[in-house]
Amino acid sequence: MKANVLPRLAMGLLALSVAATAVAGDAIAQTEKQSLNLHAIGMFFVFVLMTLGITYWAASRTKSTADFYTAGGGITGWQNGLAIAGDYMSAATLLGLTAMMYTQGVDAYIYMIAFFVGWPIILFLMAERLRNLGKFTFADITAYRLDQGKVRTMAAVSSLTVVCFYLVAQMVGAGQLIKLLFGLDYVVALFVVGALMMVYVTFGGMVATTWVQIIKACMLLIGGTAVMLLAFSQFGFSFDELTTRAMEVHKLGDKLLAPGSLLADPVTAISLGLGLMFGTAGLPHILMRFFTVTDAKEARKSVLYASGIVAYFFNVIALMGLCAILIVGTNPQFFEGGEIGGKVIGGGNMIAMHLANAVGGNLLLGFLSAVAFATILAVVAGLALAGASAISHDIYSRVIMKGKASETTELKVSKFATIGLGIVAVLLGIAFEKMNIAFMVALAFGVAASANFPVLILSMYWKGLTTRGALWGGYSGLVSAVMFVVLSKSVWVDVLHNAEAIFPYTQPALFSMPIAFLLAIIVSKLDTSAAAKKEIEAFEDQYVRAQTGVGAATAAAH
């Protein structure tokens, strides 16, 4: 099988993108390709067949734009909570944060807390108003009483930027995982992920995406818990014994459980915290989930369930990372050339997989690998749907066609947009192969916190916001966040190979968020046009609907 089928598959897929292969160059040889793991491949195919079955079923229920974007608004709070948690528990969470805990100790836990604290903001400030004011995308809310064309264009551009950053993280994780699991080339792995994602979204829309998320969230919780319990049992379930022994063998020693490199630079630490905290409230694929439930009450329940699930999973990951220090870090079979402390087989992001192999053998490795791959597929599908909805609903239907596009045409545009985003995701995955995936997610959060969150929260809570203010705020937050990221060491030096970074910090939010808020407020205050006065007066109507849900989109009847 390996001798005949895989090379033919590789040649067929690589022929689709000669340029992409050229870009990958020597990056493919970065890690050793592994031998085939039949357990993992079997479980992976079972998952794919199951999800394709769901997609086939969902396709029969996806007749309108409401079905495609929001599953007709008929998802329950518990189902949506699992799906949101599934969106949030991405490959970066499982692979990147376990690896971070393994290398940096308690710093990784601080990182996880920063990720988590965005949920109360969504629960108390946004969930109810999002459901009552929006229909398909968060641009429905920002443009509710402002200039539809201009504000929707701005919201769509910032959404697509965030989606692209987040897609990079998922695609890199997918490529490295399949490389480790199947022995396939990195580029071929990316094409497999891209193709499956296009099938899920194009045919099944939000119904398929939601159920894929729910299934993979349950599988991830079961798999992660099993690995954690098996690993933790080797230390008698004693956290004291685990940490004491981990500090003895780890290069950080006693500093393993003390804030270290993450907080060495307080500016970067604060900026990272702000980005992760407020970025959650600006992620388009998370915000889109609030339009899938029946009403505002179910929206609040969604966040409550999602918060509990995510909090539990972060603690599972923290324990996995600490156990891996002793179980993986002292075992030569997980290092290239058998050299302990050297290069980890499969790359630094594969610590969770090696831990599963060490405590549960090939069977558990196969299960967790299949789950991690399912995680990537589900998150990528959610991101693609958010990106496609920004293109088709906001830009095409509302801006270009001024709301006069037929549902059939809008659905076609959505599906073409999904295919386009799939191709972009593959190319970005190739270009950013060597980046740490947890870091890439932090960048996505930073841009979301700067470009989406300020305009969204001001449009919901501040009557003084005008179209001009929203545009200045949104675009300045987006441009400054992306500019700071490009000029930082992470891109300017590590990717573009310049000698020295122009922007001294790696996280943009501390600088780009205030720019967005200040410009939105100042420009709105200075705007004395007749249109601005009408927009301010329209806030009262918006406030009533936000509080009561009168006139809000309802669930579609199936």
Side-chain angles (χ1 to χ4, degrees):
M1 175 184 164
K2 191 175 180 180
N4 299 318
V5 179
L6 294 183
R8 286 206 298 272
L9 173 66
M11 289 307 295
L13 289 169
L14 289 173
L16 296 172
S17 181
V18 177
T21 320
V23 172
D26 57 352
I28 291 171
Q30 186 190 347
T31 55
E32 289 178 23
K33 282 193 284 182
Q34 306 302 300
S35 57
L36 291 179
N37 182 335
L38 295 176
H39 293 103
I41 293 167
M43 291 176 194
F44 163 69
F45 278 118
V46 167
F47 174 81
V48 169
L49 288 171
M50 189 164 47
T51 51
L52 288 175
I54 290 168
T55 306
Y56 179 78
W57 163 76
S60 65
R61 293 167 55 97
T62 304
K63 306 294 185 192
S64 66
T65 49
D67 295 331
F68 186 81
Y69 297 135
T70 63
I75 306 292
T76 68
W78 167 241
Q79 290 168 344
N80 200 43
L82 262 175
I84 291 173
D87 260 325
Y88 213 66
M89 298 186 305
S90 62
T93 315
L94 178 64
L95 305 180
L97 291 178
T98 307
M100 224 179 147
M101 197 78 193
Y102 170 85
T103 54
Q104 292 179 265
V106 81
D107 275 355
Y109 200 71
I110 295 169
Y111 206 76
M112 292 183 217
I113 291 169
F115 268 113
F116 182 73
V117 291
W119 290 108
I121 294 167
I122 295 181
L123 178 61
F124 295 114
L125 293 181
M126 298 174 70
E128 196 169 328
R129 294 187 181 210
L130 278 168
R131 179 62 187 87
N132 286 339
L133 290 171
K135 189 178 181 186
F136 294 155
T137 67
F138 85 92
D140 291 335
I141 296 149
T142 54
Y144 188 89
R145 60 189 170 88
L146 307 179
D147 184 294
Q148 291 282 326
K150 293 174 182 174
V151 175
R152 278 186 187 278
T153 303
M154 180 267 296
V157 168
S158 63
S159 286
L160 287 168
T161 308
V162 173
V163 163
C164 287
F165 268 122
Y166 215 113
L167 272 174
V168 169
Q170 302 308 320
M171 297 304 279
V172 171
Q176 295 290 3
L177 188 65
I178 301 179
K179 193 171 163 184
L180 185 77
L181 178 60
F182 288 88
L184 286 177
D185 279 349
Y186 179 81
V187 177
V188 179
L190 295 185
F191 275 109
V192 171
V193 178
L196 282 169
M197 173 266 282
M198 289 181 216
V199 170
Y200 293 153
V201 180
T202 307
F203 294 104
M206 182 56 93
V207 181
T209 304
T210 298
W211 280 101
V212 169
Q213 285 288 19
I214 290 170
I215 291 167
K216 80 101 199 207
C218 293
M219 288 171 67
L220 191 58
L221 288 167
I222 293 165
T225 302
V227 173
M228 182 272 290
L229 289 175
L230 287 168
F232 203 19
S233 68
Q234 296 190 15
F235 308 97
F237 296 105
S238 168
F239 185 71
D240 189 44
E241 184 186 343
L242 170 63
T243 51
T244 304
R245 287 177 56 187
M247 285 189 282
E248 287 170 3
V249 302
H250 200 279
K251 63 181 179 183
L252 291 176
D254 293 346
K255 293 179 181 175
L256 183 69
L257 296 186
S261 58
L262 187 70
L263 300 179
D265 174 9
V267 175
T268 299
I270 294 167
S271 192
L272 172 68
L274 285 172
L276 297 179
M277 192 189 311
F278 295 108
T280 305
L283 291 175
H285 66 297
I286 298 283
L287 295 172
M288 199 174 177
R289 290 233 145 262
F290 292 102
F291 311 128
T292 65
V293 290
T294 48
D295 53 34
K297 181 183 176 184
E298 294 300 309
R300 286 196 305 276
K301 279 187 188 174
S302 302
V303 188
L304 196 61
Y305 290 131
S307 301
I309 295 164
V310 171
Y312 168 76
F313 192 67
F314 278 171
N315 284 298
V316 167
I317 280 177
L319 287 169
M320 279 173 63
L322 288 173
C323 291
I325 292 169
L326 289 157
I327 296 170
V328 176
T330 58
N331 191 334
Q333 80 177 72
F334 299 118
F335 295 90
E336 290 186 9
E339 185 186 335
I340 291 177
K343 199 172 183 184
V344 177
I345 291 174
N349 289 321
M350 292 296 131
I351 295 297
M353 296 296 117
H354 292 320
L355 180 65
N357 191 13
V359 299
N362 273 342
L363 196 63
L364 191 55
L365 169 65
F367 182 74
L368 201 66
S369 298
V371 168
F373 187 65
T375 298
I376 291 164
L377 281 177
V379 174
V380 165
L383 286 164
L385 193 56
S389 66
I391 294 167
S392 59
H393 177 64
D394 294 324
I395 295 177
Y396 173 76
S397 176
R398 299 289 167 168
V399 178
I400 296 172
M401 300 301 291
K402 312 289 185 196
K404 293 174 184 171
S406 68
E407 283 206 357
T408 312
T409 315
E410 192 177 328
L411 269 176
K412 276 185 189 169
V413 173
S414 289
K415 290 175 181 183
F416 282 123
T418 303
I419 293 165
L421 280 165
I423 294 165
V424 168
V426 171
L427 296 176
L428 288 174
I430 292 165
F432 286 89
E433 181 188 354
K434 296 176 185 177
M435 296 295 282
N436 179 292
I437 53 182
F439 173 74
M440 289 305 295
V441 169
L443 292 187
F445 274 68
V447 175
S450 310
N452 295 347
F453 175 71
V455 177
L456 185 60
I457 203 78
L458 285 173
S459 67
M460 285 197 284
Y461 279 92
W462 186 46
K463 71 183 294 182
L465 185 70
T466 67
T467 297
R468 281 184 202 167
L471 294 176
W472 275 87
Y475 282 125
S476 64
L478 174 64
V479 171
S480 60
V482 173
M483 187 180 70
F484 289 143
V485 169
V486 170
L487 298 179
S488 72
K489 177 183 177 294
S490 307
V491 177
W492 196 250
V493 177
D494 298 349
V495 177
L496 300 177
H497 307 297
N498 289 297
E500 198 174 331
I502 296 172
F503 180 67
Y505 308 105
T506 54
Q507 300 296 332
L510 181 61
F511 306 92
S512 48
M513 258 180 77
I515 289 171
F517 272 111
L518 279 171
L519 281 176
I521 292 166
I522 290 167
V523 174
S524 291
K525 287 278 190 188
L526 294 175
D527 188 358
T528 56
S529 64
K533 287 187 174 69
K534 284 181 184 173
E535 288 161 2
I536 292 167
E537 285 167 9
F539 181 79
E540 297 306 323
D541 291 336
Q542 178 185 314
Y543 180 79
V544 170
R545 175 158 151 183
Q547 295 297 325
T548 63
V550 172
T554 53
H558 284 290

